[in-house]
Amino acid sequence: MEQGRLLYEGKAKRVFATTDPDLVIFEYKDDATAFNGTKHSQFAGKGELNNRLSGRLLEAVAAAGVPTHFVRLLSATQQLCRRVVIVPLEVVIRNRVAGSMARRLGIEEGTTLRHPVFELCYKNDELGDPLVAPSHAAATGMATWSEIRWMERSAATVNRILSEHMAAVGIELIDFKLEYGRRDDGSLLLADEISPDTCRLWDRTTGERLDKDRFRRDLAPLLDGYREILRRLEEATT
Ligand code: TMP
Ligand code: ASP
């Protein structure tokens, strides 16, 4: 299995083909972006941290029975993944009000919810990834109703596993974003990344933000938060 041509370059990752048509290589870059790419910086070591964090978190959900694209780490910044066609929807789960939900509904960040929120956003940078109702997604063919129901159940399971995993190291999972992909046989796999770029993670005692909001809102040095999450997770498993 060898690295092939660049298939896709995103804001924080590159995806390469391999000599095996079922496998791709994900390479995590040192870039951080926010607000649809309008804010951009580089942080030496971010790619390595997210490669390790995402690999670890994808393995944790896979161990609990959620099929994912992750195969194994290849190097400091690369991981081997199964090739999928990405469903053009971002699946967001929220355990507390934060970010765009706080802004859209005028509710204070940190407010508790009666149950987790399931949201879909249409993956389209030009439109700014707008929130869509499941009915929009199904009626326009972004995903079938059965895929939407499947993703909702899967994301609820991921929420339970990740919340427990983080709670065990004193971190609260506030919200997160997932992406799913289709395999050749039409089945879905959890794809993309699970990292502090795609989750809000707050220290359970102090409320300190350990995730990408440090960069979005200029709160604190970005990678100190990422290193702290990885340190706690590694300590818990040794
Ligand atoms: P939001 O509150 O800005 O809608 O973000 C909800 C969650 O989704 C948060 O954990 C950050 C994550 N997210 C991404 O991973 N990518 C994105 O492009 C956006 C807007 C949010
Ligand atoms: N990843 C998105 C961007 O670059 C937004 C975000 O995570 O805040 O622009």
Side-chain angles (χ1 to χ4, degrees):
M1 199 279 307
E2 276 169 40
Q3 183 169 323
R5 70 186 177 91
L6 179 68
L7 294 174
Y8 165 81
E9 175 144 13
K11 286 173 279 208
K13 276 166 320 233
R14 292 187 190 91
V15 182
F16 295 92
T18 70
T19 43
D20 182 334
D22 284 332
L23 297 172
V24 292
I25 294 171
F26 263 56
E27 182 173 86
Y28 285 78
K29 306 197 292 187
D30 283 343
D31 299 68
T33 66
F35 315 121
N36 214 357
T38 51
K39 178 167 177 170
H40 177 221
S41 282
Q42 288 198 317
F43 297 89
K46 175 173 181 284
E48 183 168 350
L49 281 163
N50 270 356
N51 186 42
R52 287 164 67 185
L53 279 160
S54 193
R56 182 175 266 275
L57 295 172
L58 287 166
E59 266 179 353
V61 300
V66 175
T68 85
H69 74 154
F70 179 76
V71 179
R72 63 186 157 85
L73 293 184
L74 289 176
S75 71
T77 58
Q78 292 191 326
Q79 51 185 255
L80 191 64
C81 295
R82 291 184 188 85
R83 186 172 189 159
V84 294
V85 176
I86 289 288
V87 175
L89 290 166
E90 298 194 339
V91 174
V92 173
I93 298 284
R94 302 179 184 275
N95 295 309
R96 277 185 196 261
V97 178
S100 66
M101 182 174 176
R103 280 196 304 280
R104 188 179 306 109
L105 302 183
I107 304 175
E108 195 184 338
E109 189 158 86
T111 302
T112 54
L113 291 161
R114 293 179 185 189
H115 59 75
V117 166
F118 167 75
E119 275 177 12
L120 296 175
C121 297
Y122 175 39
K123 264 175 73 69
N124 183 315
D125 279 345
E126 275 171 38
L127 299 175
D129 297 341
L131 185 66
V132 292
S135 179
H136 291 141
T140 59
M142 292 169 193
T144 66
W145 276 113
S146 104
E147 286 177 327
I148 294 167
R149 282 191 294 268
W150 192 93
M151 290 190 289
E152 184 169 10
R153 277 197 305 275
S154 165
T157 306
V158 172
N159 188 31
R160 185 173 48 75
I161 298 157
L162 286 183
S163 294
E164 285 170 9
H165 212 67
M166 291 297 168
V169 296
I171 295 173
E172 184 170 345
L173 178 63
I174 303 298
D175 59 29
F176 59 96
K177 184 266 299 178
L178 301 176
E179 295 187 23
Y180 288 87
R182 297 185 184 100
R183 308 216 69 195
D184 287 345
D185 65 1
S187 63
L188 292 179
L189 278 186
L190 178 60
D192 199 54
E193 67 179 292
I194 305 178
S195 76
D197 276 18
T198 61
C199 301
R200 284 197 173 89
L201 298 162
W202 297 1
D203 183 280
R204 280 164 75 90
T205 320
T206 64
E208 183 186 3
R209 271 64 164 168
L210 300 171
D211 56 76
K212 201 168 89 174
D213 274 346
R214 296 164 80 92
F215 166 72
R216 292 190 191 95
R217 305 178 186 184
D218 299 314
L219 297 176
L222 180 69
L223 296 192
D224 289 355
Y226 289 31
R227 275 188 214 101
E228 177 62 15
I229 299 164
L230 184 61
R231 184 190 69 74
R232 290 192 200 182
L233 291 173
E234 282 179 348
E235 216 172 74
T237 48
T238 50

